[in-house]
Amino acid sequence: MANAALRRARVSPRAVCLFVAVLFASIGEVARTQVLAPQDQSVATARVTLTVGRSTVLTTDFDVTRIALTNPAIADAVVVEPREVLIDGKAAGTVTMILWGADRRVQYDVVVDPGVSALQQQLRALFPGEDINVQVNEEATTLSGRVSNTAIMLKAAEIAQITSSKTKVINLLQVPGGATSDQVMLQVRFAEVDRQALTEAGISFFTGPNGFKDWIVRVTPNSAAPTFNTIPGGTLSLGDLLNIFAFNTKYNVGALIRALQSRGLLQSLAEPNLIAYNGQEASFLAGGEIPIPIVSGGAIGAVSIQYKEFGVRLNFRPTVAGDVIRLRVRPEVSTLDFANGVTIAGFRIPALTTRRAETEIELRDGQSFAIAGLMNNISQDARNQIPGLASLPVIGLLFKNMSVRRERTELMVLITPHLVRPLDPDEVPSLPTDPSRFIRPGGNGLGDALQGGGGTVDAPTNPPTPPKKGSGQ
């Protein structure tokens, strides 16, 4: 029994050594596994690139046990084989994909490009050889690159606007010799000349209230005869002081001759100027507003007041395309016309004489264009005569009246765009005012309490004026 126990005790050191060797091997393996992870993490992040609507297969050198993506709406991935991952591009953007294996972890940047959109393919087909890039997002469609001329630049923007009607189109295409300024000043000139000529001729015979030898006669093809009161000592009323009046008190017979010529000339010139930024609309009004009463229905009959604008108005929107300025312009000049007005509920409402034009044109800097013109000729002849008597030879002219009216109106609207830049302080022109009507700063005038005088707070103080010779100072 004792010998058997001693043999078992002698075998124990070998087993112990074997056990220790296996234990150290296991510890080394564990240590080696723990070192590999930081080594993989220090490797630069790999990149996977694909386009929207396309797929790609990523092959790894280890078995993938788990996968994760930051935004599945941009890209999605699925493990199809232990060492193959299928990646699908859904929307433009960049996401992070992490793969886990049994003993490592790898990170990828998945970049999904928008690719060539249908709009860019259409523009390349229509304008071959032109460098046109299209970027589309939910808010705007941006065109960038360089084209050979202005016509292609504008046509590409129009096609993009029609194709992307729900988004805003930003045109960044450049052309050779493009303008450096994006601000446009528009000069508009309304020139109008109105000529009028009027000729009237006629004669009227009449007798006084007592008549002539028991005859009371009124022959008035031209105008009404004068009105008499009691005779003698009565009063005489004439309807038109421009008439030639003759009356014989002995025979109680008179004549009223109407011979009138009138000529009128009206010249009007309005020159509104306005500055606007490229692609932005600007408006300008120099005039006023007239109150117009509006009678509402119902038994109460309340009257409300609305205001109507009149004067010189200008609306325009410029688009600078290289060396060409495309304008959408709407100039208008309106004046009050009391002759054609109406009276409503005791209110005298004047009419409006309006000259308006609206169009789209293309001009270069400094060029002018007549966008509207009017040549209006009016001829009106009126003849009044007494039937029968007016047909008599020679004396028939005494029973006729003639009125001839001629009117000629000429109107032209000219526009001239200019590319402008802001003025430097030393380029600012003087204001159109009369300085003698204002109190000057400095001296003993108003504003001495301010540094540099009234209205010039940031200006240096005026140096003292040296005394004049012989003044005793």
Side-chain angles (χ1 to χ4, degrees):
M1 293 293 292
N3 293 334
L6 182 59
R7 285 195 300 265
R8 286 195 300 267
R10 290 177 179 175
V11 175
S12 298
R14 295 180 181 179
V16 171
C17 292
L18 181 60
F19 175 75
V20 172
V22 173
L23 180 61
F24 275 103
S26 302
I27 293 175
E29 182 67 23
V30 172
R32 186 175 61 86
T33 304
Q34 292 177 352
V35 170
L36 286 176
Q39 184 177 0
D40 288 345
Q41 291 179 354
S42 63
V43 178
T45 303
R47 177 184 294 264
V48 179
T49 304
L50 68 161
T51 57
V52 175
R54 301 293 182 88
S55 300
T56 185
V57 176
L58 175 64
T59 303
T60 63
D61 56 354
F62 60 92
D63 294 342
V64 179
T65 60
R66 190 170 51 153
I67 186 172
L69 287 96
T70 55
N71 190 355
I74 296 178
D76 196 6
V78 61
V79 179
V80 293
E81 292 290 340
R83 296 194 177 189
E84 290 183 355
V85 179
L86 177 63
I87 305 174
D88 299 326
K90 295 183 177 181
T94 303
V95 296
T96 300
M97 181 180 66
I98 303 176
L99 305 179
W100 283 271
D103 55 354
R104 67 186 67 183
R105 181 179 71 246
V106 181
Q107 179 174 326
Y108 295 89
D109 285 342
V110 180
V111 180
V112 182
D113 294 331
V116 180
S117 62
L119 175 59
Q120 185 164 354
Q121 293 178 358
Q122 182 180 7
L123 294 178
R124 288 181 178 178
L126 294 175
F127 310 110
E130 303 292 343
D131 181 18
I132 302 178
N133 300 320
V134 180
Q135 295 181 357
V136 182
N137 54 35
E138 296 179 356
E139 298 181 356
T141 299
T142 305
L143 303 181
S144 60
R146 298 185 64 87
V147 293
S148 57
N149 54 62
T150 304
I152 296 177
M153 172 185 177
L154 296 176
K155 290 295 183 181
E158 292 177 359
I159 295 173
Q161 185 64 53
I162 296 175
T163 306
S164 308
S165 58
K166 297 182 179 180
T167 60
K168 181 180 179 181
V169 176
I170 302 176
N171 191 356
L172 300 180
L173 294 175
Q174 299 179 358
V175 295
T180 59
S181 177
D182 288 334
Q183 299 182 90
V184 179
M185 182 183 70
L186 184 65
Q187 295 179 341
V188 181
R189 284 168 287 179
F190 288 86
E192 181 180 8
V193 178
D194 190 359
R195 300 181 178 90
Q196 296 180 356
L198 178 65
T199 301
E200 293 183 356
I203 184 171
S204 299
F205 296 98
F206 58 91
T207 62
N210 296 328
F212 174 70
K213 294 182 180 182
D214 300 331
W215 288 88
I216 297 177
V217 181
R218 296 287 191 275
V219 181
T220 57
N222 179 38
S223 59
T227 302
F228 291 90
N229 288 341
T230 59
I231 297 292
T235 58
L236 177 65
S237 300
L238 294 176
D240 193 346
L241 296 179
L242 294 178
N243 294 331
I244 300 176
F245 172 73
F247 185 77
N248 190 310
T249 58
K250 179 179 179 180
Y251 297 102
N252 204 23
V253 176
L256 185 66
I257 301 174
R258 184 177 181 85
L260 176 65
Q261 284 187 348
S262 64
R263 294 181 180 274
L265 175 63
L266 171 64
Q267 293 185 2
S268 175
L269 178 63
E271 296 188 18
N273 297 334
L274 188 61
I275 296 179
Y277 188 74
N278 181 21
Q280 303 298 321
E281 183 175 357
S283 62
F284 168 82
L285 174 64
E289 296 181 346
I290 56 173
I292 299 178
I294 305 297
V295 180
S296 59
I300 300 178
V303 178
S304 60
I305 301 297
Q306 294 184 359
Y307 288 87
K308 177 69 175 179
E309 295 179 347
F310 72 96
V312 180
R313 171 179 287 279
L314 175 61
N315 297 79
F316 84 104
R317 174 181 295 174
T319 301
V320 180
D323 59 343
V324 175
I325 305 173
R326 172 174 288 189
L327 296 172
R328 180 178 181 85
V329 60
R330 187 178 185 271
E332 177 182 330
V333 173
S334 57
T335 56
L336 300 180
D337 185 6
F338 289 92
N340 296 320
V342 296
T343 301
I344 301 177
F347 297 95
R348 181 65 178 176
I349 310 301
L352 290 177
T353 302
T354 304
R355 282 82 69 194
R356 179 189 302 120
E358 183 175 2
T359 184
E360 289 189 11
I361 59 173
E362 290 184 1
L363 294 173
R364 286 181 170 83
D365 184 12
Q367 291 183 336
S368 298
F369 214 116
I371 63 172
L374 172 64
M375 179 71 71
N376 187 22
N377 286 319
I378 298 176
S379 177
Q380 181 179 0
D381 295 343
R383 298 180 181 272
N384 298 324
Q385 61 182 12
I386 298 176
L389 297 178
S391 302
L392 296 176
V394 181
I395 63 173
L397 297 176
L398 302 177
F399 303 97
K400 294 181 180 180
N401 174 41
M402 179 185 65
S403 176
V404 179
R405 176 173 173 265
R406 302 286 188 268
E407 183 175 351
R408 179 187 179 95
T409 302
E410 300 177 13
L411 173 66
M412 182 173 291
V413 182
L414 296 173
I415 64 170
T416 304
H418 294 281
L419 293 173
V420 296
R421 62 173 180 83
L423 296 177
D424 294 330
D426 56 344
E427 298 176 339
V428 178
S430 59
L431 297 178
T433 56
D434 186 1
S436 63
R437 297 182 178 271
F438 297 95
I439 299 177
R440 296 184 178 181
N444 296 323
L446 181 66
D448 291 338
L450 299 178
Q451 180 183 0
T456 55
V457 179
D458 55 349
T461 306
N462 295 328
T465 304
K468 297 181 179 179
K469 295 182 179 180
S471 61
Q473 296 179 358

